[in-house]
Amino acid sequence: MNYKPSYRISPIKDAEFPDRIKEIQSVLAPVMETGSISSFDGISLQYYWYPCENPVGTVVIVHGFTEFALKYEEIIYYFLEMGYNCFIYDQRSHGYSGSGISDHRYNHVEDFRDYSKDLNVIMEQVVKPFAKDTEIYIYCHSMGGTVNLHYFHDFKPDFIKKAVFSSPMVVPRMAKNIPFWIVEASIRKSVKKDGWNAAFPHTSHFNPNASFDTSHDCSRARFDHNLALRVADEHYQNSGSTNRWLWECLKIRKYLPKKEFLSEISQNILVLKAGQDSVVYTDVYKNLEKFIPSCKVSDYPSSRHSIYNSDDETLVRYWNEVFTFLKS
């Protein structure tokens, strides 16, 4: 069954969200097609495909750290309403995708470029055949931005012309702004004691009673909904990281913001910057704008890290900017 778009959207207001998201879920259920594929190293990747009638393009969503595909149902609905096929997958160590370690509470990766290799497998073996002759675009959040910068740099996917990066992780911010060298020293100590696949000693754990006030969201209704999804399904409760994941994460800051890396990226990129971001450093976005030939940074001064979970007024501007960029 293909979704019939209206080619217009009105972002859901916070007060209306609890009822509207239930409607959206019932609308998306008969449209959604699911499957899994083995990545380059045998890790299973779970994906979700939402086709629409007479599509104007196909959007691939790449989620962030500790997220999962079904958290994006509202966003999937918006893309469908505007006439775009939508594709999303659980990144390795997230959701229903494989992990490579036995304890699924922790995110693990041998090399951060494994994420971009996963995306390349997904694109070549699943998205391209599904998308057929439509233009393919990227929408990504946080760690998804890291994945896509690697993907654009390493695989040179010329068939992708435009990408939206929402709060991309170019340089991660440590909790309480602890200096990187202290974290690296702690990792080395932990590896010596327990090995690379062990949980980082100071890693976070899933909290079913998480506080909205200290969250990455500005929409209480969306925060409550997403927390309920995580409480209800243990596959969505990964929170912390292994020593290896954190070590690989810290490595990206040494090359990702550099001219030598960014200047090789040819895609037209819109970067949406959260002014109250406590998860990633945003001052480095000026490097993206400076060194990527086609890149614009747009500032959302009052937003926290998850701009797509903002207040009513911000969401109107946010989605208008996203779709104006894709259609221009």
Side-chain angles (χ1 to χ4, degrees):
M1 176 181 174
N2 290 358
Y3 187 86
K4 187 174 182 179
S6 68
Y7 301 104
R8 64 181 184 275
I9 66 162
S10 177
I12 300 169
K13 294 182 178 180
D14 195 73
E16 301 170 348
F17 184 83
D19 291 330
R20 289 293 307 281
I21 193 62
K22 293 176 184 177
E23 296 173 7
I24 287 172
Q25 290 172 329
S26 65
V27 167
L28 293 184
V31 177
M32 179 180 69
E33 301 174 19
T34 66
S36 63
I37 187 172
S38 293
S39 193
F40 67 95
D41 59 355
I43 291 288
S44 176
L45 301 175
Q46 180 75 18
Y47 64 79
Y48 305 82
W49 168 251
Y50 300 82
C52 71
E53 294 181 4
N54 304 313
V56 298
T58 295
V59 173
V60 177
I61 298 176
V62 186
H63 68 70
F65 180 64
T66 72
E67 294 190 319
F68 48 93
L70 294 188
K71 179 181 178 180
Y72 281 75
E73 288 176 311
E74 177 189 8
I75 294 174
I76 291 165
Y77 169 72
Y78 291 157
F79 282 122
L80 288 172
E81 276 287 88
M82 292 298 287
Y84 295 89
N85 296 323
C86 204
F87 182 94
I88 188 169
Y89 67 105
D90 290 329
Q91 298 208 62
R92 64 174 57 211
S93 282
H94 293 76
Y96 280 81
S97 288
S99 173
I101 60 172
S102 58
D103 196 334
H104 297 290
R105 292 177 299 169
Y106 306 112
N107 293 278
H108 178 75
V109 72
E110 292 295 325
D111 186 305
F112 240 72
R113 278 186 157 92
D114 289 352
Y115 288 122
S116 59
K117 292 177 183 177
D118 290 341
L119 179 54
N120 185 60
V121 170
I122 286 284
M123 284 290 191
E124 296 299 322
Q125 298 187 30
V126 187
V127 174
K128 279 186 173 181
F130 281 4
K132 298 179 181 177
D133 297 326
T134 63
E135 290 284 344
I136 298 174
Y137 307 99
I138 293 282
Y139 173 91
C140 58
H141 169 66
S142 195
M143 190 187 81
T146 315
V147 175
N148 277 280
L149 287 173
H150 283 106
Y151 174 59
F152 290 163
H153 177 275
D154 295 352
F155 292 95
K156 304 291 189 297
D158 294 338
F159 62 92
I160 296 177
K161 307 300 184 199
K162 293 183 179 181
V164 176
F165 283 37
S166 189
S167 303
M169 184 178 75
V170 181
V171 176
R173 185 190 293 266
M174 297 294 99
K176 300 180 181 179
N177 292 321
I178 297 173
F180 292 125
W181 68 269
I182 293 179
V183 179
E184 289 172 337
S186 183
I187 295 172
R188 291 190 188 97
K189 183 178 179 181
S190 179
V191 168
K192 187 175 181 179
K193 180 177 181 289
D194 299 314
W196 283 107
N197 291 3
F200 177 63
H202 308 290
T203 196
S204 61
H205 296 85
F206 173 64
N207 179 8
N209 301 306
S211 169
F212 167 69
D213 293 335
T214 57
S215 73
H216 306 154
D217 304 336
C218 289
S219 165
R220 181 60 182 259
R222 290 170 174 84
F223 170 82
D224 289 344
H225 170 73
N226 292 325
L227 182 59
L229 289 177
R230 300 189 73 191
V231 169
D233 192 329
E234 64 179 9
H235 290 88
Y236 304 148
Q237 294 175 8
N238 64 331
S239 184
S241 66
T242 62
N243 290 318
R244 173 66 75 182
W245 188 96
L246 187 55
W247 185 264
E248 293 299 314
C249 179
L250 293 181
K251 280 168 58 176
I252 67 171
R253 77 186 195 278
K254 299 177 181 179
Y255 62 86
L256 210 63
K258 301 298 179 61
K259 178 180 179 181
E260 295 76 15
F261 186 95
L262 296 174
S263 61
E264 293 190 28
I265 295 173
S266 63
Q267 281 73 21
N268 186 2
I269 297 174
L270 172 64
V271 176
L272 304 171
K273 172 186 172 183
Q276 308 300 316
D277 205 319
S278 62
V279 180
V280 301
Y281 286 103
T282 59
D283 57 335
V284 297
Y285 292 170
K286 63 180 182 291
N287 288 22
L288 276 65
E289 202 166 33
K290 182 177 180 181
F291 299 132
I292 296 176
S294 298
C295 180
K296 173 191 173 184
V297 177
S298 184
D299 196 3
Y300 287 75
S302 64
S303 292
R304 298 178 189 174
H305 184 62
S306 299
I307 313 175
Y308 57 82
N309 284 343
S310 290
D311 60 89
D312 298 346
E313 183 179 355
T314 298
L315 288 181
V316 170
R317 179 196 161 196
Y318 179 85
W319 286 112
N320 181 67
E321 186 164 21
V322 168
F323 287 113
T324 297
F325 170 73
L326 292 179
K327 293 188 294 183
S328 63

